[in-house]
Amino acid sequence: MTSFQMSAKEDMVEKFLDAAARGDLTQVSSLLSLVPSLINQTGYSGWTALMLAARNGHLHVAEKLVSLGCDKSSVNSSSQTALDIAKFWGHRHIAGLLSQSEGSCRRILPGGDLSLQENYFGRETLDRLSGRRTDEVWLETKQKDLATVYLLFSNLSPMVSTPQEDSEGGDIKLCRFRYEAVKDLLQKPSTVLIFLGMEKMKSSSSSSSQTEEPPVWFAISTDEDAAELLRRCRENTCLFPKTPNRDLLKLSEEEAGVVAQARSVLAWHSRYSFCSTCGSSTHLEEAGYKRSCLNPECRSQRGVHNTCYPRVDPVVIMLVIHPDGNQCLLGRKKVFPAGMFSCLAGFVEPGEAIEEAVRREVEEESGVKVGPVQYVSCQPWPMPSNLMIGCLAVAVTTDIKVDEKEIEEARWFPRQQVIDSLFRGASPAFFVPPRQTIAHQLIKHWVGMNSNL
Ligand SMILES: NC(=O)c1ccc[n+]([C@@H]2O[C@H](COP(=O)([O-])OP(=O)(O)OC[C@H]3O[C@@H](n4cnc5c(N)ncnc54)[C@H](O)[C@@H]3O)[C@@H](O)[C@H]2O)c1
Ligand SMILES: [Mg+2]
Ligand SMILES: [Mg+2]
Ligand SMILES: [Mg+2]
Ligand SMILES: [Zn+2]
């Protein structure tokens, strides 16, 4: 593109974003019919036309953009989606429009105006097809299919390609392999192979192309040397991330969902090699979703035993609201980076309800007593296999006495300080975990819930 063409394009984007911000539906529509690709363009601080319409309460512009298929999930440089912005500025009609993806079904549920929130690691890109896990003939055919995608894991980290040094952005991508490139690994007895599922059909694809089944995905975990494995990749920007709980947050939402599934199942295989009932060796079944004991006398062979299936550990994570409604309780562990505060969290114990786990963990960790508890959303957290159950809770006492074994400090933070910290206002007093964590999303949910409404 010449510099003249570039500046003409920039002018066009600016004109389009300005029209959306002013609520000029006629101009927004005519510019889009001329240049459809304007729809997801961003301007200052990553704001899209939809965000600007949401900021200023222009419902008709927002409706037009949504009807033309704009990206509702993109975030600006403060990690806000258009829905966050609409909620923050109190434009309920636009918030309603943007959270309506499930249409009329939502209204059947009481409290259906609560928008369903999708968290990082929670996107289901693949259809798990659990019914196929016992169909060995089908699985074997799919393993050899030329379109099948294999992900390679070493030490519970997936092989990823990192961005070239000269490219912008810090995203990493999964390395995808074909059958020919991994068939030697499939022969090795130590290899663990997990069937992940089939790519979901795109609703927009034409009916003629739907005769062919979409590709299926498998994950392979191998004990082959990591450096050897990396040689299988043509690009030299590939690696196995060393600090998963930081590095895996750089994947796209789609790939993060697949990794959450694969990593949790692989972590279970790596930790449960022997039967927990009798100590005998076990073998893998059901395309990686079951481990059965090899001892025919073992009690786990009779009936259904939960020890044979992958684990999920429920954890409650809660934003505790002060009885005055205008402060929230956040704490920090010693291992957190300096200045970071987050929601309190803790494992649910056997025989315990979610609400009781919230009350117990908050009291143990901060000394604060909690009354009402409300579920907000959840997040699979594959480190190794937690299910984070996100709640809001209202405190009935306010004195803080931390459990020093776990928590270094806990404090009540006023709403304005939390807003400054979330949206990177001038010199924030503290910072919260990144947007990929449910802790961040719960804090944002509370701020958005009652700001200007
Ligand atoms: N995604 C997020 O936003 C987010 C935020 C905070 C915490 N987390 C995750 O939540 C998890 C739990 O939080 P916590 O550490 O505050 O819990 P916690 O307060 O219950 O304390 C952890 C302790 O609980 C015990 N424990 C009980 N059941 C356990 C189990 N099944 N697995 C491991 N330990 C168990 C161990 O002694 C452990 O040291 C952490 O693993 C952390 O990774 C995620
Ligand atoms: Mg805890
Ligand atoms: Mg605890
Ligand atoms: Mg605990
Ligand atoms: Zn056994």
Side-chain angles (χ1 to χ4, degrees):
M1 228 192 263
T2 65
S3 60
F4 176 73
Q5 283 170 323
M6 263 167 67
S7 81
K9 186 180 170 224
E10 279 164 19
D11 284 351
M12 179 88 97
V13 172
E14 197 174 314
K15 212 161 152 190
F16 172 66
L17 294 176
D18 179 61
R22 285 184 290 106
D24 186 340
L25 180 62
T26 317
Q27 193 168 21
V28 166
S29 307
S30 68
L31 284 170
L32 278 176
S33 57
L34 274 175
V35 190
S37 64
L38 280 174
I39 198 159
N40 293 321
Q41 292 288 331
T42 54
Y44 179 70
S45 290
W47 282 61
T48 60
L50 184 67
M51 293 173 191
L52 291 162
R55 163 68 183 86
N56 296 318
H58 300 310
L59 178 64
H60 297 309
V61 173
E63 279 171 342
K64 179 81 192 170
L65 294 165
V66 169
S67 73
L68 292 175
C70 71
D71 180 4
K72 292 194 285 183
S73 63
S74 64
V75 290
N76 64 17
S77 61
S78 305
S79 305
Q80 295 168 294
T81 60
L83 174 60
D84 296 331
I85 294 166
K87 283 201 281 186
F88 185 83
W89 292 99
H91 301 305
R92 274 176 185 266
H93 47 329
I94 297 184
L97 167 79
L98 296 178
S99 56
Q100 240 173 34
S101 50
E102 269 78 29
S104 54
C105 300
R106 184 83 54 75
R107 270 174 247 131
I108 297 170
L109 295 171
D113 59 334
L114 266 180
S115 65
L116 268 192
Q117 191 193 309
E118 184 197 61
N119 292 300
Y120 191 78
F121 285 127
R123 188 167 296 180
E124 288 274 326
T125 318
L126 303 176
D127 186 339
R128 297 182 182 226
L129 296 184
S130 53
R132 288 288 194 184
R133 292 177 190 155
T134 46
D135 188 342
E136 281 171 24
V137 177
W138 185 84
L139 286 167
E140 209 165 302
T141 315
K142 285 296 177 191
Q143 278 180 37
K144 293 180 181 147
D145 192 311
L146 295 181
T148 294
V149 176
Y150 288 89
L151 306 178
L152 277 187
F153 282 74
S154 172
N155 205 7
L156 300 181
S157 275
M159 193 192 292
V160 295
S161 63
T162 54
Q164 305 281 348
E165 265 174 32
D166 53 356
S167 74
E168 283 181 17
D171 290 352
I172 60 173
K173 290 196 176 65
L174 292 172
C175 297
R176 301 177 186 195
F177 292 88
R178 301 291 171 198
Y179 175 68
E180 280 301 317
V182 296
K183 66 178 184 196
D184 59 317
L185 293 175
L186 297 177
Q187 311 303 326
K188 291 177 79 175
S190 57
T191 293
V192 175
L193 179 71
I194 313 284
F195 172 60
L196 298 173
M198 182 182 277
E199 285 178 20
K200 287 185 180 167
M201 297 261 189
K202 300 252 182 341
S203 52
S204 56
S205 61
S206 70
S207 54
S208 62
S209 66
Q210 287 186 4
T211 47
E212 233 171 70
E213 274 186 336
V216 305
W217 289 43
F218 288 90
I220 293 179
S221 173
T222 157
D223 55 8
E224 195 170 297
D225 182 56
E228 280 297 318
L229 289 170
L230 289 170
R231 262 182 230 131
R232 288 169 193 255
C233 214
R234 258 176 265 125
E235 298 168 52
N236 57 1
T237 56
C238 295
L239 51 85
F240 290 102
K242 291 273 181 306
T243 42
N245 50 359
R246 204 177 55 214
D247 296 329
L248 296 183
L249 306 187
K250 296 181 195 152
L251 292 163
S252 69
E253 301 274 342
E254 282 75 18
E255 293 197 337
V258 178
V259 168
Q261 177 189 358
R263 187 174 202 273
S264 288
V265 179
L266 290 173
W268 172 67
H269 286 294
S270 76
R271 285 157 214 229
Y272 290 75
S273 316
F274 296 96
C275 175
S276 56
T277 306
C278 76
S280 302
S281 296
T282 52
H283 76 134
L284 199 142
E285 287 178 358
E286 299 191 6
Y289 283 79
K290 188 171 182 188
R291 283 193 90 92
S292 293
C293 183
L294 287 168
N295 167 12
E297 304 300 314
C298 179
R299 193 155 42 89
S300 74
Q301 296 276 24
R302 296 190 291 278
V304 176
H305 281 253
N306 63 352
T307 52
C308 301
Y309 296 93
R311 289 194 60 100
V312 178
D313 296 318
V315 176
V316 285
I317 176 157
M318 44 275 163
L319 186 68
V320 180
I321 306 167
H322 193 279
D324 73 10
N326 266 318
Q327 301 173 65
C328 69
L329 182 66
L330 300 175
R332 53 171 283 112
K333 292 187 175 191
K334 283 190 200 74
V335 292
F336 284 5
M340 187 173 104
F341 280 79
S342 183
C343 297
L344 302 181
F347 288 95
V348 177
E349 295 199 346
E352 188 173 48
I354 290 172
E355 291 83 349
E356 285 310 321
V358 168
R359 295 191 184 103
R360 177 184 52 74
E361 283 286 347
V362 174
E363 193 168 353
E364 278 175 14
E365 296 185 3
S366 70
V368 169
K369 287 188 192 297
V370 158
V373 174
Q374 186 183 53
Y375 169 75
V376 178
S377 71
C378 68
Q379 175 178 49
W381 188 249
M383 323 292 174
S385 52
N386 295 348
L387 177 66
M388 307 299 301
I389 304 167
C391 297
L392 290 180
V394 184
V396 292
T397 67
T398 57
D399 287 346
I400 294 174
K401 187 173 180 303
V402 295
D403 164 14
E404 283 166 12
K405 275 203 273 23
E406 189 180 343
I407 303 284
E408 184 178 67
E409 188 186 356
R411 265 198 259 161
W412 292 107
F413 287 88
R415 176 190 305 279
Q416 191 56 49
Q417 259 184 33
V418 177
I419 293 173
D420 288 346
S421 161
L422 265 181
F423 304 126
R424 306 207 187 97
S427 52
F430 70 103
F431 70 96
V432 296
R435 68 170 175 83
Q436 295 89 337
T437 62
I438 191 172
H440 181 109
Q441 296 304 330
L442 280 174
I443 298 169
K444 199 157 84 173
H445 179 79
W446 171 65
V447 163
M449 230 171 51
N450 21 190
S451 52
N452 294 300
L453 298 180

